[in-house]
């Protein structure tokens, strides 16, 4: 049996047993299910036949570790499991060295563990608040966001790509860990934790929209567009209010179910394997990626603006500016899909339908997530 077969069996057992048995919070459980669905869609509708078993094996193994990580009782246990997941991902064939791929998750695990130590240690108030900031910085490093942006190689295999880590693995972690942390933090630590999340969210929103707009390479524009989405999600989670959490969950869900599959199906055009031709479908994809009605992006944006306006109206103005600037790169990303055909056309249609469902009936997805 080859390595892919062993990973497939082991990952299948892990994902199949850990997910239903582990005490995972409903939002993280729903995100695990979304990741599993995205994996099946990506494998079945992959543009090329080669590498599907390998992609499925790697994805199943990752889901097994993710299920256990989402159920970790504290950040220390999460950090240990995170290192295991990062090692599995970094050991796969790719263009970046093992040490480079391990750097971000390992640093994030260190910050997470040290931040938790400071937050729980008996000491002055500033120590707990510093721990809360380090916890947020650890989550940011784990997700591979600014200011811990990892190296990006457009030609790297899909299962080894830094974008797959950011868009497939990190959403579950960022939903699961804060949910376990916040009840254990003091009120002042929780406020600092939320403020730090908002700060990191605004940083990634601004960086992502500006860099995607100015990027010379469309592959890089895709990479930065993920940062912009993550920025909105972090702000929503950091607001520490129900509507903010709902908005953050919906943004992360659209990353997993819509943006990541569309990027994977655009890779043949981005890498020059398929001619870059455009048509009406590309305009539709651009509108969809811009967050226009009736697609996935509009409802969480409205939630964020409503909550931010009620809390601190200058924050709402900053968010609105980032959302308006978003349009500058969205149409470019839509054009990068080329003219979908065959499996790719089916995949693009499915992504559009999922985006439409997220935009029209978001309450169904929120109910499944217990939000």
């Amino acid at each position: 049996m080859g390595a892919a077969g062993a990973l497939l069996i082991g990952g299948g057992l892990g994902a199949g047993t850990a997910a239903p048995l582990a005490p995972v919070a409903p939002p993280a459980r729903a995100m695990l299910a979304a990741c599993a669905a995205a994996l099946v869609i990506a494998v079945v509708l992959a543009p090329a036949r080669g590498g599907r078993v390998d992609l499925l094996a790697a994805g199943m193994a990752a889901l097994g570790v993710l299920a256990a990580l989402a159920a970790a009782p504290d950040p220390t246990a999460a950090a240990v499991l995170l290192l295991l997941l990062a090692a599995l991902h970094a050991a796969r064939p790719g263009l970046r060295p093992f040490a480079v791929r391990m750097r971000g998750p390992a640093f994030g695990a260190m910050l997470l563990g040290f931040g938790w130590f400071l937050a729980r240690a008996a000491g002055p108030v500033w120590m707990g608040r510093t721990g809360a900031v380090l916890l947020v910085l650890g989550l940011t490093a784990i997700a591979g966001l600014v200011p811990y942006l990892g190296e990006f190689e457009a030609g790297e295999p899909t299962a080894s790509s830094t974008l797959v880590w950011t868009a497939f693995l990190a959403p579950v972690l960022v939903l699961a860990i804060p949910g376990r942390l916040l009840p254990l933090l003091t009120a002042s630590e929780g406020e600092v934790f939320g403020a730090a999340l908002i700060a990191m969210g605004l940083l990634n929103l601004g960086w992502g929209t500006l860099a995607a707009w100015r990027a010379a390479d469309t592959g890089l524009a895709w990479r930065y567009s993920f940062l912009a989405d993550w920025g909105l999600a972090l702000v929503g989670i950091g607001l520490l209010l129900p509507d903010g959490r709902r908005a953050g969950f919906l943004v992360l869900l659209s990353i997993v179910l819509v943006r990541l599959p569309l990027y994977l199906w655009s890779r043949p055009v981005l890498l020059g394997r398929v001619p870059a031709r455009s048509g009406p479908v590309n305009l539709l994809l651009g509108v969809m990626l811009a967050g226009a009605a009736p697609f996935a992006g509009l409802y969480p944006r409205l939630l964020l603006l409503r909550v931010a306006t009620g809390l601190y109206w200058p924050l709402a103005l900053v968010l609105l500016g980032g959302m308006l600037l978003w349009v500058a790169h969205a149409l470019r990303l839509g054009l990068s899909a080329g003219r979908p055909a065959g499996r790719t056309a089916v995949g693009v249609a499915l992504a559009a339908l999922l985006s439409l469902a997220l935009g029209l009936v978001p309450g169904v997805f929120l109910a499944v997530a217990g939000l």
Side-chain angles (χ1 to χ4, degrees), residues 53-357:
V53 173
D54 185 60
L55 179 60
L56 179 62
M60 291 292 286
L63 285 175
V65 180
L66 275 178
L69 205 156
D74 57 62
T76 304
V80 173
L81 289 169
L82 174 67
L83 290 176
L84 171 61
L85 180 61
L88 287 173
H89 184 260
R92 298 192 51 75
L95 301 180
R96 294 168 299 144
F98 179 89
V100 171
R101 286 190 271 175
M102 278 293 295
R103 187 187 313 161
F107 188 56
M110 182 191 72
L111 289 174
L112 205 62
F114 188 47
W116 181 241
F117 169 77
L118 289 180
R120 292 298 87 208
V125 175
W126 66 264
M127 187 179 294
R129 292 177 176 175
T130 302
V133 173
L134 291 179
L135 288 171
V136 171
L137 293 177
L139 289 174
T140 308
I142 288 168
L145 309 177
V146 173
Y148 309 105
L149 204 56
E151 294 182 11
F152 173 69
E153 293 285 351
E156 199 160 39
T158 298
S160 306
S161 171
T162 182
L163 272 185
V164 168
W165 177 277
T166 298
F168 181 76
L169 303 176
V172 176
L173 310 182
V174 174
L175 279 177
I177 295 176
R180 292 184 177 275
L181 282 176
L182 285 171
L184 304 176
L185 298 178
T186 66
S188 65
E189 291 168 356
E191 290 174 0
V192 171
F193 184 83
L197 274 176
I198 292 173
M200 288 295 101
L202 293 177
L203 175 63
N204 280 276
L205 174 62
W207 193 298
T209 50
L210 287 171
W213 171 41
R214 294 175 58 86
D217 179 72
T218 307
L220 281 175
W222 268 105
R223 190 263 188 100
Y224 292 126
S225 74
F226 282 95
L227 298 184
D229 262 331
W230 266 100
L232 291 179
L234 292 180
V235 170
I237 297 170
L239 289 171
L240 304 182
L241 291 172
D243 276 351
R245 287 192 291 271
R246 294 183 185 110
F249 171 78
L250 289 173
V251 172
L252 291 177
L253 195 62
S254 69
I255 289 176
V256 171
L257 292 178
V258 179
R259 186 172 292 273
L260 177 60
L262 286 177
Y263 166 73
L264 296 179
W265 292 316
S266 298
R267 274 171 58 85
V269 176
L270 297 174
L271 298 176
R273 299 170 186 164
V274 175
R277 297 176 296 178
S278 60
V281 173
N282 302 99
L283 180 60
L284 175 66
L285 293 178
V287 170
M288 184 172 73
L289 291 169
F295 296 105
L298 182 63
Y299 184 71
R301 283 168 167 78
L302 293 178
L303 281 181
L304 283 176
L305 289 175
R306 185 174 69 184
V307 176
T309 301
L311 286 178
Y312 185 58
W313 65 265
L315 173 61
L317 287 181
V318 174
L319 288 173
L320 182 60
M323 294 171 189
L324 293 176
L325 186 59
W326 200 297
V327 180
H329 71 268
L331 294 177
R332 177 185 184 186
L333 300 186
L335 291 174
S336 70
R339 289 187 181 176
R343 291 175 182 266
T344 302
V346 176
V348 169
L350 183 57
L353 288 174
L354 287 170
S355 180
L356 194 62

